[in-house]
mmCIF file of all heavy atoms in Angstrom:
data_model
loop_
_atom_site.group_PDB
_atom_site.id
_atom_site.type_symbol
_atom_site.label_atom_id
_atom_site.label_comp_id
_atom_site.label_asym_id
_atom_site.label_seq_id
_atom_site.Cartn_x
_atom_site.Cartn_y
_atom_site.Cartn_z
ATOM 1 N N VAL D 418 5.387 21.488 10.689
ATOM 2 C CA VAL D 418 6.673 21.202 10.044
ATOM 3 C C VAL D 418 7.793 21.231 11.077
ATOM 4 O O VAL D 418 8.732 20.442 11.041
ATOM 5 C CB VAL D 418 6.946 22.211 8.909
ATOM 6 C CG1 VAL D 418 8.382 22.125 8.437
ATOM 7 C CG2 VAL D 418 5.991 21.969 7.747
ATOM 8 N N GLU D 419 7.703 22.153 12.060
ATOM 9 C CA GLU D 419 8.743 22.281 13.070
ATOM 10 C C GLU D 419 8.732 21.127 14.062
ATOM 11 O O GLU D 419 9.773 20.746 14.588
ATOM 12 C CB GLU D 419 8.578 23.595 13.835
ATOM 13 C CG GLU D 419 8.853 24.829 13.001
ATOM 14 C CD GLU D 419 8.663 26.091 13.811
ATOM 15 O OE1 GLU D 419 8.444 25.990 15.026
ATOM 16 O OE2 GLU D 419 8.719 27.176 13.226
ATOM 17 N N THR D 420 7.553 20.585 14.360
ATOM 18 C CA THR D 420 7.446 19.610 15.452
ATOM 19 C C THR D 420 7.253 18.191 14.994
ATOM 20 O O THR D 420 7.313 17.271 15.801
ATOM 21 C CB THR D 420 6.271 19.981 16.372
ATOM 22 O OG1 THR D 420 5.057 19.978 15.610
ATOM 23 C CG2 THR D 420 6.476 21.348 16.996
ATOM 24 N N GLU D 421 7.020 17.943 13.718
ATOM 25 C CA GLU D 421 6.731 16.602 13.240
ATOM 26 C C GLU D 421 7.536 16.285 11.982
ATOM 27 O O GLU D 421 7.924 17.183 11.233
ATOM 28 C CB GLU D 421 5.237 16.469 12.909
ATOM 29 C CG GLU D 421 4.333 16.776 14.071
ATOM 30 C CD GLU D 421 2.892 16.874 13.634
ATOM 31 O OE1 GLU D 421 2.576 16.499 12.501
ATOM 32 O OE2 GLU D 421 2.091 17.357 14.421
ATOM 33 N N PRO D 422 7.798 15.026 11.737
ATOM 34 C CA PRO D 422 8.507 14.649 10.511
ATOM 35 C C PRO D 422 7.707 15.036 9.274
ATOM 36 O O PRO D 422 6.472 14.982 9.272
ATOM 37 C CB PRO D 422 8.617 13.127 10.633
ATOM 38 C CG PRO D 422 8.433 12.831 12.081
ATOM 39 C CD PRO D 422 7.522 13.892 12.604
ATOM 40 N N VAL D 423 8.415 15.431 8.239
ATOM 41 C CA VAL D 423 7.749 15.811 6.999
ATOM 42 C C VAL D 423 7.501 14.565 6.162
ATOM 43 O O VAL D 423 8.428 13.793 5.897
ATOM 44 C CB VAL D 423 8.626 16.805 6.206
ATOM 45 C CG1 VAL D 423 7.940 17.186 4.894
ATOM 46 C CG2 VAL D 423 8.911 18.036 7.036
ATOM 47 N N PRO D 424 6.247 14.309 5.741
ATOM 48 C CA PRO D 424 5.994 13.124 4.933
ATOM 49 C C PRO D 424 6.662 13.232 3.566
ATOM 50 O O PRO D 424 6.960 14.320 3.086
ATOM 51 C CB PRO D 424 4.465 13.100 4.797
ATOM 52 C CG PRO D 424 4.025 14.492 5.077
ATOM 53 C CD PRO D 424 5.030 15.093 6.001
ATOM 54 N N ASP D 425 6.888 12.068 2.959
ATOM 55 C CA ASP D 425 7.483 12.036 1.632
ATOM 56 C C ASP D 425 6.575 12.773 0.644
ATOM 57 O O ASP D 425 5.353 12.601 0.670
ATOM 58 C CB ASP D 425 7.641 10.585 1.186
ATOM 59 C CG ASP D 425 8.348 10.504 -0.147
ATOM 60 O OD1 ASP D 425 9.583 10.495 -0.140
ATOM 61 O OD2 ASP D 425 7.644 10.453 -1.183
ATOM 62 N N PRO D 426 7.122 13.642 -0.212
ATOM 63 C CA PRO D 426 6.279 14.431 -1.115
ATOM 64 C C PRO D 426 5.387 13.578 -2.007
ATOM 65 O O PRO D 426 4.329 14.014 -2.429
ATOM 66 C CB PRO D 426 7.306 15.218 -1.948
ATOM 67 C CG PRO D 426 8.546 15.236 -1.120
ATOM 68 C CD PRO D 426 8.558 13.964 -0.350
ATOM 69 N N GLY D 427 5.815 12.344 -2.274
ATOM 70 C CA GLY D 427 5.021 11.520 -3.184
ATOM 71 C C GLY D 427 3.925 10.732 -2.505
ATOM 72 O O GLY D 427 3.167 10.032 -3.166
ATOM 73 N N GLU D 428 3.822 10.815 -1.143
ATOM 74 C CA GLU D 428 2.831 10.021 -0.442
ATOM 75 C C GLU D 428 1.436 10.598 -0.628
ATOM 76 O O GLU D 428 1.182 11.748 -0.317
ATOM 77 C CB GLU D 428 3.134 9.971 1.061
ATOM 78 C CG GLU D 428 4.263 9.040 1.428
ATOM 79 C CD GLU D 428 4.414 8.959 2.937
ATOM 80 O OE1 GLU D 428 4.004 9.897 3.615
ATOM 81 O OE2 GLU D 428 4.943 7.945 3.407
ATOM 82 N N ALA D 429 0.514 9.818 -1.120
ATOM 83 C CA ALA D 429 -0.889 10.230 -1.182
ATOM 84 C C ALA D 429 -1.637 9.720 0.032
ATOM 85 O O ALA D 429 -2.540 10.358 0.535
ATOM 86 C CB ALA D 429 -1.536 9.690 -2.462
ATOM 87 N N VAL D 430 -1.282 8.535 0.525
ATOM 88 C CA VAL D 430 -1.910 7.938 1.693
ATOM 89 C C VAL D 430 -0.805 7.496 2.635
ATOM 90 O O VAL D 430 0.213 6.960 2.193
ATOM 91 C CB VAL D 430 -2.783 6.729 1.302
ATOM 92 C CG1 VAL D 430 -3.378 6.080 2.545
ATOM 93 C CG2 VAL D 430 -3.878 7.150 0.339
ATOM 94 N N ASP D 431 -0.985 7.728 3.948
ATOM 95 C CA ASP D 431 0.032 7.337 4.918
ATOM 96 C C ASP D 431 -0.129 5.854 5.224
ATOM 97 O O ASP D 431 -1.059 5.447 5.907
ATOM 98 C CB ASP D 431 -0.117 8.170 6.191
ATOM 99 C CG ASP D 431 1.099 8.013 7.085
ATOM 100 O OD1 ASP D 431 1.577 6.884 7.235
ATOM 101 O OD2 ASP D 431 1.558 9.028 7.626
ATOM 102 N N ASP D 432 0.788 5.034 4.728
ATOM 103 C CA ASP D 432 0.702 3.597 4.949
ATOM 104 C C ASP D 432 0.966 3.214 6.399
ATOM 105 O O ASP D 432 0.534 2.151 6.845
ATOM 106 C CB ASP D 432 1.701 2.863 4.049
ATOM 107 C CG ASP D 432 1.239 2.846 2.592
ATOM 108 O OD1 ASP D 432 0.026 2.971 2.371
ATOM 109 O OD2 ASP D 432 2.086 2.720 1.700
ATOM 110 N N THR D 433 1.682 4.071 7.136
ATOM 111 C CA THR D 433 1.988 3.731 8.525
ATOM 112 C C THR D 433 0.715 3.604 9.352
ATOM 113 O O THR D 433 0.535 2.636 10.090
ATOM 114 C CB THR D 433 2.904 4.801 9.146
ATOM 115 O OG1 THR D 433 4.073 4.944 8.348
ATOM 116 C CG2 THR D 433 3.295 4.413 10.565
ATOM 117 N N LEU D 434 -0.195 4.570 9.209
ATOM 118 C CA LEU D 434 -1.440 4.505 9.971
ATOM 119 C C LEU D 434 -2.261 3.291 9.549
ATOM 120 O O LEU D 434 -2.899 2.627 10.379
ATOM 121 C CB LEU D 434 -2.246 5.798 9.773
ATOM 122 C CG LEU D 434 -3.466 5.966 10.684
ATOM 123 C CD1 LEU D 434 -3.075 5.904 12.148
ATOM 124 C CD2 LEU D 434 -4.162 7.292 10.387
ATOM 125 N N ARG D 435 -2.243 2.967 8.266
ATOM 126 C CA ARG D 435 -2.958 1.789 7.782
ATOM 127 C C ARG D 435 -2.380 0.516 8.410
ATOM 128 O O ARG D 435 -3.112 -0.398 8.802
ATOM 129 C CB ARG D 435 -2.866 1.710 6.254
ATOM 130 C CG ARG D 435 -3.608 0.528 5.638
ATOM 131 C CD ARG D 435 -3.640 0.649 4.120
ATOM 132 N NE ARG D 435 -4.260 -0.525 3.517
ATOM 133 C CZ ARG D 435 -3.599 -1.607 3.142
ATOM 134 N NH1 ARG D 435 -2.273 -1.669 3.306
ATOM 135 N NH2 ARG D 435 -4.224 -2.643 2.611
ATOM 136 N N LEU D 436 -1.049 0.462 8.550
ATOM 137 C CA LEU D 436 -0.428 -0.696 9.176
ATOM 138 C C LEU D 436 -0.824 -0.816 10.643
ATOM 139 O O LEU D 436 -1.001 -1.923 11.168
ATOM 140 C CB LEU D 436 1.099 -0.603 9.054
ATOM 141 C CG LEU D 436 1.684 -0.885 7.673
ATOM 142 C CD1 LEU D 436 3.170 -0.563 7.657
ATOM 143 C CD2 LEU D 436 1.444 -2.338 7.279
ATOM 144 N N TYR D 437 -0.966 0.322 11.305
ATOM 145 C CA TYR D 437 -1.419 0.287 12.698
ATOM 146 C C TYR D 437 -2.782 -0.394 12.788
ATOM 147 O O TYR D 437 -3.031 -1.223 13.668
ATOM 148 C CB TYR D 437 -1.522 1.707 13.253
ATOM 149 C CG TYR D 437 -0.249 2.220 13.882
ATOM 150 C CD1 TYR D 437 0.926 2.360 13.148
ATOM 151 C CD2 TYR D 437 -0.207 2.594 15.219
ATOM 152 C CE1 TYR D 437 2.085 2.837 13.710
ATOM 153 C CE2 TYR D 437 0.952 3.076 15.805
ATOM 154 C CZ TYR D 437 2.094 3.199 15.037
ATOM 155 O OH TYR D 437 3.244 3.665 15.616
ATOM 156 N N PHE D 438 -3.692 -0.027 11.884
ATOM 157 C CA PHE D 438 -5.028 -0.625 11.894
ATOM 158 C C PHE D 438 -4.976 -2.113 11.563
ATOM 159 O O PHE D 438 -5.681 -2.918 12.168
ATOM 160 C CB PHE D 438 -5.939 0.104 10.900
ATOM 161 C CG PHE D 438 -6.664 1.265 11.504
ATOM 162 C CD1 PHE D 438 -6.167 2.544 11.380
ATOM 163 C CD2 PHE D 438 -7.852 1.078 12.199
ATOM 164 C CE1 PHE D 438 -6.834 3.621 11.942
ATOM 165 C CE2 PHE D 438 -8.516 2.142 12.761
ATOM 166 C CZ PHE D 438 -8.011 3.423 12.637
ATOM 167 N N LEU D 439 -4.139 -2.472 10.617
ATOM 168 C CA LEU D 439 -4.076 -3.873 10.220
ATOM 169 C C LEU D 439 -3.475 -4.752 11.310
ATOM 170 O O LEU D 439 -3.897 -5.896 11.507
ATOM 171 C CB LEU D 439 -3.274 -4.018 8.927
ATOM 172 C CG LEU D 439 -3.948 -3.450 7.667
ATOM 173 C CD1 LEU D 439 -3.019 -3.552 6.474
ATOM 174 C CD2 LEU D 439 -5.259 -4.174 7.377
ATOM 175 N N CYS D 440 -2.493 -4.232 12.038
ATOM 176 C CA CYS D 440 -1.916 -5.015 13.127
ATOM 177 C C CYS D 440 -2.893 -5.175 14.293
ATOM 178 O O CYS D 440 -2.758 -6.108 15.087
ATOM 179 C CB CYS D 440 -0.616 -4.381 13.616
ATOM 180 S SG CYS D 440 0.801 -4.717 12.554
ATOM 181 N N ALA D 441 -3.855 -4.268 14.403
ATOM 182 C CA ALA D 441 -4.896 -4.394 15.427
ATOM 183 C C ALA D 441 -5.981 -5.329 14.895
ATOM 184 O O ALA D 441 -7.153 -4.972 14.784
ATOM 185 C CB ALA D 441 -5.469 -3.021 15.763
ATOM 186 N N HIS D 442 -5.597 -6.549 14.542
ATOM 187 C CA HIS D 442 -6.472 -7.491 13.842
ATOM 188 C C HIS D 442 -7.541 -8.046 14.779
ATOM 189 O O HIS D 442 -7.283 -8.307 15.960
ATOM 190 C CB HIS D 442 -5.636 -8.634 13.264
ATOM 191 C CG HIS D 442 -6.339 -9.433 12.225
ATOM 192 N ND1 HIS D 442 -7.113 -10.524 12.534
ATOM 193 C CD2 HIS D 442 -6.410 -9.288 10.882
ATOM 194 C CE1 HIS D 442 -7.622 -11.033 11.431
ATOM 195 N NE2 HIS D 442 -7.203 -10.302 10.404
ATOM 196 N N PRO D 443 -8.772 -8.260 14.273
ATOM 197 C CA PRO D 443 -9.857 -8.780 15.129
ATOM 198 C C PRO D 443 -9.575 -10.144 15.733
ATOM 199 O O PRO D 443 -10.183 -10.512 16.743
ATOM 200 C CB PRO D 443 -11.058 -8.844 14.168
ATOM 201 C CG PRO D 443 -10.745 -7.860 13.102
ATOM 202 C CD PRO D 443 -9.264 -7.888 12.935
ATOM 203 N N SER D 444 -8.673 -10.919 15.146
ATOM 204 C CA SER D 444 -8.372 -12.239 15.701
ATOM 205 C C SER D 444 -7.500 -12.156 16.950
ATOM 206 O O SER D 444 -7.288 -13.161 17.639
ATOM 207 C CB SER D 444 -7.668 -13.100 14.653
ATOM 208 O OG SER D 444 -6.427 -12.542 14.285
ATOM 209 N N LEU D 445 -6.963 -10.965 17.236
ATOM 210 C CA LEU D 445 -6.105 -10.773 18.400
ATOM 211 C C LEU D 445 -6.876 -10.107 19.531
ATOM 212 O O LEU D 445 -7.791 -9.318 19.289
ATOM 213 C CB LEU D 445 -4.902 -9.900 18.036
ATOM 214 C CG LEU D 445 -3.931 -10.429 16.995
ATOM 215 C CD1 LEU D 445 -2.937 -9.336 16.620
ATOM 216 C CD2 LEU D 445 -3.195 -11.651 17.521
ATOM 217 N N THR D 446 -6.480 -10.418 20.748
ATOM 218 C CA THR D 446 -7.007 -9.642 21.874
ATOM 219 C C THR D 446 -6.417 -8.238 21.790
ATOM 220 O O THR D 446 -5.342 -8.041 21.207
ATOM 221 C CB THR D 446 -6.604 -10.271 23.211
ATOM 222 O OG1 THR D 446 -5.169 -10.221 23.330
ATOM 223 C CG2 THR D 446 -7.087 -11.712 23.322
ATOM 224 N N PRO D 447 -7.110 -7.242 22.365
ATOM 225 C CA PRO D 447 -6.566 -5.876 22.298
ATOM 226 C C PRO D 447 -5.145 -5.764 22.832
ATOM 227 O O PRO D 447 -4.304 -5.092 22.232
ATOM 228 C CB PRO D 447 -7.559 -5.077 23.150
ATOM 229 C CG PRO D 447 -8.844 -5.828 23.027
ATOM 230 C CD PRO D 447 -8.445 -7.281 22.967
ATOM 231 N N SER D 448 -4.843 -6.430 23.960
ATOM 232 C CA SER D 448 -3.495 -6.309 24.522
ATOM 233 C C SER D 448 -2.446 -6.921 23.599
ATOM 234 O O SER D 448 -1.356 -6.367 23.434
ATOM 235 C CB SER D 448 -3.433 -6.977 25.900
ATOM 236 O OG SER D 448 -3.747 -8.350 25.804
ATOM 237 N N SER D 449 -2.787 -8.050 22.967
ATOM 238 C CA SER D 449 -1.842 -8.667 22.033
ATOM 239 C C SER D 449 -1.673 -7.826 20.783
ATOM 240 O O SER D 449 -0.569 -7.711 20.240
ATOM 241 C CB SER D 449 -2.318 -10.070 21.655
ATOM 242 O OG SER D 449 -2.297 -10.924 22.771
ATOM 243 N N ALA D 450 -2.770 -7.230 20.304
ATOM 244 C CA ALA D 450 -2.692 -6.379 19.118
ATOM 245 C C ALA D 450 -1.801 -5.174 19.373
ATOM 246 O O ALA D 450 -0.977 -4.792 18.521
ATOM 247 C CB ALA D 450 -4.094 -5.925 18.711
ATOM 248 N N VAL D 451 -1.938 -4.580 20.538
ATOM 249 C CA VAL D 451 -1.094 -3.429 20.877
ATOM 250 C C VAL D 451 0.372 -3.847 20.923
ATOM 251 O O VAL D 451 1.250 -3.186 20.359
ATOM 252 C CB VAL D 451 -1.532 -2.818 22.228
ATOM 253 C CG1 VAL D 451 -0.521 -1.778 22.687
ATOM 254 C CG2 VAL D 451 -2.905 -2.184 22.104
ATOM 255 N N ALA D 452 0.652 -4.939 21.606
ATOM 256 C CA ALA D 452 2.038 -5.387 21.732
ATOM 257 C C ALA D 452 2.652 -5.683 20.371
ATOM 258 O O ALA D 452 3.797 -5.295 20.087
ATOM 259 C CB ALA D 452 2.095 -6.633 22.626
ATOM 260 N N LEU D 453 1.905 -6.380 19.509
ATOM 261 C CA LEU D 453 2.427 -6.726 18.180
ATOM 262 C C LEU D 453 2.685 -5.471 17.353
ATOM 263 O O LEU D 453 3.714 -5.349 16.676
ATOM 264 C CB LEU D 453 1.436 -7.634 17.452
ATOM 265 C CG LEU D 453 1.837 -8.039 16.024
ATOM 266 C CD1 LEU D 453 3.142 -8.822 16.033
ATOM 267 C CD2 LEU D 453 0.728 -8.853 15.365
ATOM 268 N N THR D 454 1.775 -4.518 17.406
ATOM 269 C CA THR D 454 1.935 -3.292 16.626
ATOM 270 C C THR D 454 3.133 -2.482 17.104
ATOM 271 O O THR D 454 3.907 -1.947 16.304
ATOM 272 C CB THR D 454 0.663 -2.432 16.689
ATOM 273 O OG1 THR D 454 -0.467 -3.246 16.453
ATOM 274 C CG2 THR D 454 0.705 -1.308 15.663
#
């Protein structure tokens, strides 16, 4: 709690991490996926 942001109380799943995975799309090269994300 002291070192990290507190998630919204209503969040059941962290959508941010899911977005990270989705932006790392298989159609992209790893370097492009990282840059886009």
Side-chain angles (χ1 to χ4, degrees):
V418 168
E419 292 180 7
T420 60
E421 302 170 12
V423 179
D425 184 86
E428 284 185 336
V430 177
D431 193 317
D432 286 336
T433 304
L434 189 57
R435 181 171 176 270
L436 286 172
Y437 271 61
F438 270 96
L439 291 176
C440 282
H442 196 271
S444 63
L445 297 171
T446 64
S448 60
S449 294
V451 171
L453 178 61
T454 313

